[in-house]
Amino acid sequence: MILKNKKGLSLTELLIAVALIGLISPLIFTIFVFGIEDYATTTKYVDQQYSVMEVIRYIRQDVEAAKRVTYVLDDSANIKEVIFEFPDESLRFWKFGSFHETDDDIDTVNGLGLKNVKEYDERDEVTGVYSFTDSVEYTGVIDRLDLTQSKFDVDTFSGDGPTQLILTIKPEQLNKTKYKGRNINENIITEFSVRYKLFGKYTEGD
């Protein structure tokens, strides 16, 4: 069977098709790129929220379980380190700084660090300093925190000691340039009651 009057595309139709593709392609590409950027910035924002929630969770569970909270101060009387002592005589040390995730890890974690001591030998009743035989170092637990803003504080050291442990957290600004608004831009402040905890403090190096 022979088909008659079968036509192909004319030059005009071909030019129109090419022109339409040229108009639509940049729009499709822009939508595609925007979708990728939106996903990336949203993921970073979620990561910031996760970091904040994890720090709060770690400190809350230790505050609730500890029988004594000891505060290690630097030369400016700022809290450099918080030590939680538990009923089984184990210790957990927390501080903000730069650490490795493991002893053999070369990558640096800028955030919250933890040091676990299974059992201490004694605690000096005068200075409040713990002594223990375990050789342990800090390891990074939560990464990408703003170390200039993240800190521990208390309401007061007078009288019977602090009633509130104040935790301030601010994640690093992961989203840059035009996406700066998609960051946690304010300090997140959480207060934990330590009114009924045994209390100790000393200045590092004393």
Side-chain angles (χ1 to χ4, degrees):
M1 180 178 180
I2 300 175
L3 297 177
K4 297 181 179 180
N5 299 323
K6 185 177 180 181
K7 296 181 179 180
L9 291 175
S10 67
L11 179 60
T12 302
E13 291 171 331
L14 182 60
L15 290 175
I16 292 173
V18 170
L20 288 174
I21 292 173
L23 290 173
I24 295 173
S25 295
L27 179 61
I28 295 175
F29 179 76
T30 300
I31 294 173
F32 177 72
V33 170
F34 176 79
I36 293 176
E37 291 180 344
D38 183 68
Y39 174 79
T41 55
T42 300
T43 299
K44 290 177 181 178
Y45 183 72
V46 171
D47 287 344
Q48 290 178 333
Q49 292 179 314
Y50 176 78
S51 295
V52 170
M53 290 188 294
E54 282 295 278
V55 173
I56 294 172
R57 182 178 69 85
Y58 280 127
I59 302 305
R60 176 182 288 117
Q61 70 182 16
D62 280 6
V63 167
E64 292 175 352
K67 70 175 185 179
R68 182 191 301 273
V69 184
T70 299
Y71 308 91
V72 183
L73 311 182
D74 61 19
D75 293 335
S76 301
N78 297 313
I79 297 176
K80 181 178 181 180
E81 191 173 33
V82 177
I83 307 170
F84 294 101
E85 178 188 337
F86 302 99
D88 63 356
E89 296 191 345
S90 63
L91 304 172
R92 282 164 70 90
F93 295 66
W94 292 100
K95 71 176 179 179
F96 293 101
S98 297
F99 316 95
H100 296 299
E101 291 186 7
T102 64
D103 292 339
D104 300 327
D105 197 350
I106 60 174
D107 294 329
T108 300
V109 172
N110 294 313
L112 183 66
L114 168 66
K115 180 167 65 175
N116 275 308
V117 175
K118 294 181 180 179
E119 185 177 3
Y120 68 90
D121 296 328
E122 63 177 344
R123 176 181 177 275
D124 190 304
E125 294 299 327
V126 177
T127 64
V129 177
Y130 291 94
S131 61
F132 45 87
T133 55
D134 291 349
S135 178
V136 290
E137 299 293 335
Y138 269 98
T139 56
V141 177
I142 302 295
D143 194 11
R144 294 184 173 182
L145 299 179
D146 185 342
L147 299 181
T148 65
Q149 300 295 321
S150 301
K151 62 181 180 179
F152 293 104
D153 203 353
V154 293
D155 54 346
T156 180
F157 277 127
S158 62
D160 295 328
T163 61
Q164 297 287 333
L165 170 61
I166 304 168
L167 173 66
T168 301
I169 317 163
K170 186 177 182 183
E172 286 183 1
Q173 304 294 282
L174 301 180
N175 289 314
K176 310 295 184 181
T177 61
K178 63 181 179 180
Y179 295 107
K180 285 184 178 180
R182 291 190 179 185
N183 287 303
I184 296 179
N185 292 309
E186 301 294 331
N187 291 349
I188 307 300
I189 300 174
T190 307
E191 297 182 352
F192 305 94
S193 175
V194 291
R195 182 185 300 272
Y196 302 109
K197 305 294 181 181
L198 296 174
F199 153 68
K201 76 177 176 71
Y202 62 89
T203 301
E204 188 176 49
D206 285 357

